[in-house]
């Protein structure tokens, strides 16, 4: 008897009929002889609806109260799924994140899992129960409810799979795997049969929304295979694991994109020690996440410093940076909130030359200007105009003949 952890996304449990369909899938695995722990998201757009509701009663909702509010969505789903399984004659129990033993730090809205106390889950499994855990949430040592941030149910599922020794973590949603590009943008995109943790982490970080980056990091750390598949069909999906051979590939595996990029440039700053720290330390303290950073070569000991943030954090970042720029003697601050990024990803890139040149030439041939460039060993990312992102994705997918 093995243990399987499954995670069902919001679209998979959006209605009562979808919840009953999920119950049938879960029951089928249980009937096959495996123990099952299921992690669920809130139904459909429940989380977004709760955020909007909070905004109608408070301009700046208390983070602690927001976490309690947002955690209720997953509780609704978990209880309904447990009821559906019981109606079918199976023993099932729903558990909140706290009841499942998920202990976190006290960073509201984006808490980190510190440990998972498995006693309750193991006891219920020993009783022959199917366990339904409310994802996206945990509890602090002070007994306050926390949430894990967007996509946090993925993290809940992988963390549970790790501590329970599951043979696989299945991530079931409305898409049947990881594709060579977003099929809504590139209709000819193909599903990948498998992909390595490194490649998947780059894709998740730079635009692919199917998996949450923190979940991939956890899976790689504990060597937990993740199968991404659809809850609407029985297609095999994509296996994310560590056993993918790099030697057999020398092409781009996937093209990712993100439409949520804003750029801030601090113009004419002194090129001396401590200047960068004077800008980025306050930004970090303000909770503003920085993506790409580029500093120009110094001319007469004066340089420009450019960085990117999400579009909804640009105004907050400018509020932090403007007084600092004045204090350090910068000439000006420029900003642009109408940007996006496009990335090519593939492990074969680290051993084969020419990928950057081909990417830049392809964008040039399509009249797409590059604002900024960032790279890793297996990724090249270009910041471009938001209006050109989807065109760039299609052009790069064709140019690299992305293979699966």
């Amino acid at each position: 008897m093995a243990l399987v952890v499954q995670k069902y996304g919001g679209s998979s449990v959006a209605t009562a009929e979808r919840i009953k369909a999920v119950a049938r899938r879960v029951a089928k695995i249980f009937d096959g002889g495996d123990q099952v722990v299921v992690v669920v998201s809130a139904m459909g757009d429940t989380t977004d609806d709760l955020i909007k509701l909070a905004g109608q009663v408070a301009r700046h909702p208390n983070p602690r109260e927001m976490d309690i509010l947002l955690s209720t969505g997953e509780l609704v789903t978990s209880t309904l799924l447990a009821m559906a399984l019981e109606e079918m004659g199976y023993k099932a129990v729903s558990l909140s994140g706290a009841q499942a033993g998920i202990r976190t730090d006290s960073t509201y809205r984006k808490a980190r899992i510190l440990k998972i106390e498995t006693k309750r889950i193991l006891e219920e499994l020993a009783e022959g129960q199917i366990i339904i855990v409310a994802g996206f949430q945990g509890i602090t040592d002070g007994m306050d409810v926390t949430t894990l941030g967007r996509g946090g149910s993925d993290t809940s599922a992988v963390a549970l799979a790790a501590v329970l020794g599951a043979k696989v973590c299945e991530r079931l949603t409305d898409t049947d795997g990881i594709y060579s590009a977003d099929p809504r943008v590139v209709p000819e995109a193909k599903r990948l049969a498998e992909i390595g943790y490194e490649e998947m982490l780059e894709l998740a970080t730079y635009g692919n929304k199917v998996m949450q980056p923190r979940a991939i990091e956890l899976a790689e750390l504990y060597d937990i295979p993740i199968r991404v598949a659809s809850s609407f069909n029985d297609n095999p999906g994509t296996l994310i694991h560590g056993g993918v051979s790099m030697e057999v590939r020398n092409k781009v595996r996937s093209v990712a994109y993100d439409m949520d990029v804003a750029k801030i440039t601090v113009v004419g700053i002194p090129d001396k020690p401590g200047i960068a720290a004077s800008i980025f330390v306050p930004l970090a303290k303000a909770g503003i996440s920085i993506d790409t950073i580029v500093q120009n070569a110094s001319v007469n000991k004066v340089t420009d410093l450019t960085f990117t943030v999400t579009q909804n954090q640009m105004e907050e970042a400018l509020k932090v940076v403007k007084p600092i720029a004045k204090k350090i003697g910068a000439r000006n601050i420029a900003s642009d909130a109408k940007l996006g990024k496009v990335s090519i990803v593939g492990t074969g890139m680290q051993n084969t030359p020419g990928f950057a040149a081909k990417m830049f030439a392809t964008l040039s041939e399509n009249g797409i200007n590059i604002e900024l460039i960032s790279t890793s060993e297996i990724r090249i990312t270009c910041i471009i105009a938001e209006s050109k992102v989807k065109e760039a994705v299609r052009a790069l997918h064709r140019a690299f003949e992305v293979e699966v």
Side-chain angles (χ1 to χ4, degrees):
M1 179 185 293
L3 173 70
V4 174
V5 172
Q6 289 191 314
K7 185 265 177 173
Y8 287 91
S11 59
S12 299
V13 291
T15 65
E17 287 304 314
R18 287 304 311 155
I19 288 174
K20 288 191 282 188
V22 166
R24 291 191 291 270
R25 293 182 71 102
V26 172
K28 185 177 180 180
I29 293 176
F30 185 82
D31 289 342
D34 288 332
Q35 294 178 312
V36 188
V37 174
V38 179
V39 177
V40 291
S41 295
M43 297 173 66
D45 296 325
T46 297
T47 300
D48 289 335
D49 292 341
L50 290 172
I51 292 172
K52 291 176 184 176
L53 187 61
Q56 292 171 15
V57 300
R59 286 182 300 170
H60 303 290
N62 181 290
R64 177 187 179 276
E65 304 308 325
M66 279 298 293
D67 271 10
I68 295 174
L69 174 66
L70 297 181
S71 70
T72 61
E74 282 70 19
L75 294 175
V76 170
T77 311
S78 62
T79 53
L80 290 174
L81 181 55
M83 291 175 192
L85 284 161
E86 288 176 339
E87 184 72 12
M88 295 167 59
Y90 294 87
K91 295 170 64 178
V93 60
S94 65
L95 300 175
S96 67
Q99 291 170 321
I102 299 175
R103 304 291 177 174
T104 75
D105 63 20
S106 56
T107 308
Y108 297 114
R109 303 295 301 275
K110 50 182 177 181
R112 295 274 175 171
I113 297 173
L114 301 177
K115 62 181 177 179
I116 299 180
E117 297 166 353
T118 59
K119 183 174 182 293
R120 175 71 183 274
I121 291 179
L122 294 175
E123 287 175 350
E124 299 288 0
L125 288 172
E127 292 293 322
Q129 299 269 18
I130 296 172
I131 313 298
I132 315 297
V133 178
F136 178 61
Q137 62 186 260
I139 195 166
T140 69
D141 287 340
M143 303 302 289
D144 283 324
V145 173
T146 56
T147 62
L148 307 181
R150 282 289 183 181
S153 292
D154 288 353
T155 305
S156 302
V158 174
L160 284 166
V163 298
L164 295 171
K167 68 176 182 180
V168 67
C169 180
E170 297 185 340
R171 204 277 194 191
L172 296 142
T173 182
D174 56 1
T175 182
D176 60 354
I178 308 300
Y179 277 73
S180 56
D182 185 342
R184 295 168 298 183
V185 176
V186 184
E188 64 270 25
K190 295 181 173 61
R191 180 182 56 81
L192 308 179
E194 60 176 6
I195 189 170
Y197 294 125
E198 274 190 286
E199 290 175 325
M200 190 63 230
L201 181 57
E202 293 281 12
L203 287 176
T205 302
Y206 286 88
N208 186 298
K209 305 300 183 185
V210 175
M211 283 293 301
Q212 207 249 16
R214 282 167 58 189
I216 302 300
E217 290 173 344
L218 266 180
E220 182 174 19
L221 180 63
Y222 291 98
D223 196 22
I224 302 296
I226 302 173
R227 186 172 73 90
V228 178
S230 173
S231 63
F232 295 81
N233 58 51
D234 294 321
N235 293 343
T238 301
L239 185 66
I240 306 169
H241 64 122
V244 181
S245 173
M246 183 181 68
E247 293 299 320
V248 300
R249 297 190 176 92
N250 62 1
K251 291 190 177 182
V252 171
R253 305 287 326 278
S254 189
V255 181
Y257 73 95
D258 186 353
M259 306 288 278
D260 185 16
V261 180
K263 179 182 72 171
I264 295 174
T265 300
V266 186
V267 181
I269 60 175
D271 187 10
K272 62 183 181 180
I275 292 296
S278 71
I279 294 172
F280 292 114
V281 170
L283 286 168
K285 288 180 178 179
I288 297 170
S289 297
I290 307 300
D291 185 11
T292 304
I293 301 173
V294 175
Q295 181 170 311
N296 294 344
S298 176
V299 178
N300 297 324
K301 295 186 178 181
V302 176
T303 187
D304 299 338
L305 182 65
T306 300
F307 61 92
T308 62
V309 296
T310 57
Q311 292 172 358
N312 65 359
Q313 286 197 311
M314 189 184 79
E315 290 304 321
E316 186 179 355
L318 285 171
K319 288 178 183 178
V320 173
V321 172
K322 283 180 178 179
I324 299 170
K326 184 176 181 180
K327 183 177 179 181
I328 63 177
R331 288 202 308 268
N332 190 23
I333 294 179
S335 61
D336 186 348
K338 296 294 185 181
L339 299 174
K341 57 188 172 187
V342 61
S343 304
I344 57 172
V345 176
T347 51
M349 291 167 57
Q350 61 188 316
N351 293 323
T352 309
F355 286 94
K358 189 171 184 177
M359 182 179 192
F360 303 155
T362 299
L363 294 177
S364 174
E365 289 164 5
N366 286 270
I368 300 170
N369 186 52
I370 299 171
E371 299 276 345
L372 295 170
I373 300 165
S374 70
T375 66
S376 73
E377 287 188 338
I378 63 171
R379 171 191 52 80
I380 304 171
T381 298
C382 292
I383 308 296
I384 61 177
E386 184 181 52
S387 61
K388 295 286 188 177
V389 168
K390 292 184 178 180
E391 180 184 348
V393 172
R394 288 188 285 267
L396 291 169
H397 195 273
R398 288 193 303 269
F400 285 99
E401 300 175 339
V402 178
E403 66 175 26
V404 298

